[in-house]
């Protein structure tokens, strides 16, 4: 099959981890007889350097016309002085909105070989951790009305949700729960926020179509606590945009596998955007020591979204094999030490 993939390498370690991933995708193409065409575009800090803006219109058009978008990471201290409206992060928020990517799926799982890297006690981890954070991605306080008042001393952002925005993300969460452990925990702050009361009302409404799925509601402060106290209680964690941003970082960190976790953003556009959960790690950029596995697994999620399921499983298996063989980038602890490019080659070899 012919597939057109836009690669947004981005900043920091982005170019290294995406190029290692392209090596593995090429191995998939060769093995399964596909033709993947890569279209490299700019977004984030690199786009500011080249075009003066974090999200050039030609990047948006290329993504809209593609079958999938592979993203490394964006941002870094180099662009800290940019005005708020022109920061690298604006590129990421802009592409999410432009592609209508309202559903962000962030799995947090523990790889048993790497359980030592978790900051939680073995007794807490004993029951396993397999949480899927389903984060609403193009609504809420990230996109609500905002303003800096003329006095320069006051500013506001607005948490705002419509019934429809809640309904479509709730459906994604319940559909996913049906393929997993049939449990949804919906996160809100309904004891304080009106938008959360609406969120809860619509989530309950949607749940009626999924009688097999157990639904719980949890205030976000309690959810943050429960995640470190007993992460095994969670299956699908359904969150508004900002709560999901915060809790997904927490969830990924407790697995100790931050260099291994991919995420996907799906919505109204056929393409979808696939990226590692971690950031651009400017402190280790250009040293060939970053871990490409999260991005490689994001590539597998992209293959799934292209209906290339056997191919996606082949990538996952190759990653498991390489981990089992003991190959480790520095973040993964003791083992046969390899760099970013070498890790990509090893995974490709095992496909
Ligand atoms: C994330 C990031 C982004 C977000 C930033 C970089 C805008 O933290 O993808 O979680 O807040 O959504
Ligand atoms: Mg975040």
């Amino acid at each position: 099959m012919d597939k057109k993939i836009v690669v947004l390498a981005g900043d920091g370690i982005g170019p290294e981890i995406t190029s290692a991933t392209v090596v593995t995708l090429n191995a998939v193409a060769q093995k399964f007889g596909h033709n993947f065409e890569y279209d490299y575009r700019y977004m984030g800090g690199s786009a500011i350097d080249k075009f003066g803006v974090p999200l050039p219109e030609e990047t948006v058009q290329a993504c809209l016309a593609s079958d999938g978008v592979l993203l490394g990471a964006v941002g870094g201290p180099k662009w800290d002085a940019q005005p708020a409206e022109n920061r690298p992060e604006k590129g990421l928020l802009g592409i999410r909105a432009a592609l209508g990517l309202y559903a962000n799926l962030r799995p947090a799982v523990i790889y048993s070989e790497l359980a030592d890297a978790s900051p939680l006690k073995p007794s807490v981890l004993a029951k396993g951790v397999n949480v899927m954070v389903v984060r609403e991605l193009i609504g809420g306080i990230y996109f609500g009305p905002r303003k800096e008042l003329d006095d320069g001393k006051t500013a506001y952002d607005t948490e705002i949700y419509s019934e429809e925005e809640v309904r479509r993300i709730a459906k994604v969460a319940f559909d996913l729960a049906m393929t997993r452990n049939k449990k949804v925990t919906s996160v809100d702050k309904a004891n304080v926020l009106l938008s959360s009361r609406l969120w809860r009302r619509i989530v309950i409404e949607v749940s009626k179509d999924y009688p097999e799925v157990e639904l719980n509601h949890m205030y976000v402060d309690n959810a943050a606590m429960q995640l470190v106290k007993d992460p095994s209680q969670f299956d699908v964690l359904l969150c508004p945009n900002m709560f999901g941003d915060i809790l997904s970082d927490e969830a990924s960190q407790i697995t100790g596998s931050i260099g291994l976790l991919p995420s996907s953003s799906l919505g109204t556009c056929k393409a979808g955007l696939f990226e590692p959960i971690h950031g651009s790690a400017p402190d280790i950029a250009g040293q060939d020591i970053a871990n490409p596995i999260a991005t490689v697994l994001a590539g597998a999620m992209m293959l799934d979204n292209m209906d290339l399921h056997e191919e996606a499983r082949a990538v996952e298996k190759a990653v498991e094999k390489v981990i089992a063989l003991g190959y480790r980038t520095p973040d993964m602890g003791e083992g046969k030490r390899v760099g970013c490019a070498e890790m990509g080659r090893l995974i490709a070899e095992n496909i």
Side-chain angles (χ1 to χ4, degrees), residues 151-224:
D151 66 1
K153 295 179 186 160
T154 317
Y156 65 78
D157 302 272
T158 317
E159 172 80 352
I160 178 166
Y161 271 113
S162 69
E163 289 190 353
E164 205 29 57
E165 285 172 322
V166 180
R167 193 169 288 119
R168 64 184 183 181
I169 189 70
K171 280 187 186 154
V172 172
F174 281 94
D175 283 337
L176 258 172
M178 286 300 289
T179 69
R180 296 171 47 98
N181 287 323
K182 299 201 169 70
K183 190 169 169 191
V184 170
T185 305
S186 172
V187 174
D188 63 34
K189 190 72 188 175
N191 49 348
V192 177
L193 303 177
L194 287 175
S195 52
S196 277
R197 291 169 68 92
L198 176 122
W199 176 276
R200 194 178 275 217
R201 175 164 61 77
I202 300 301
V203 169
I204 291 172
E205 205 178 289
V206 171
S207 74
K208 306 236 159 85
D209 291 332
Y210 301 83
E212 286 173 57
V213 177
E214 177 191 336
L215 169 65
N216 296 294
H217 305 278
M218 206 176 264
Y219 298 140
V220 61
D221 46 352
N222 186 27

Side-chain angles (χ1 to χ4, degrees), residues 129-146:
V129 179
N130 186 352
V131 185
M132 177 65 88
V133 178
V134 175
R135 169 188 177 193
E136 198 290 325
L137 202 58
I138 52 174
I141 196 165
Y142 274 55
F143 290 89
R146 58 155 97 208

Side-chain angles (χ1 to χ4, degrees), residues 20 23-28 318 322 343-351:
V23 169
T24 67
L25 289 171
N26 284 338
V28 168
V322 168
M343 183 60 106
R345 265 195 301 278
L346 285 162
I347 297 167
E349 250 171 54
N350 281 282
I351 285 175

Side-chain angles (χ1 to χ4, degrees), residues 106 135 245 249:
R106 297 186 163 184
R135 169 188 177 193
D245 177 46
D249 263 31

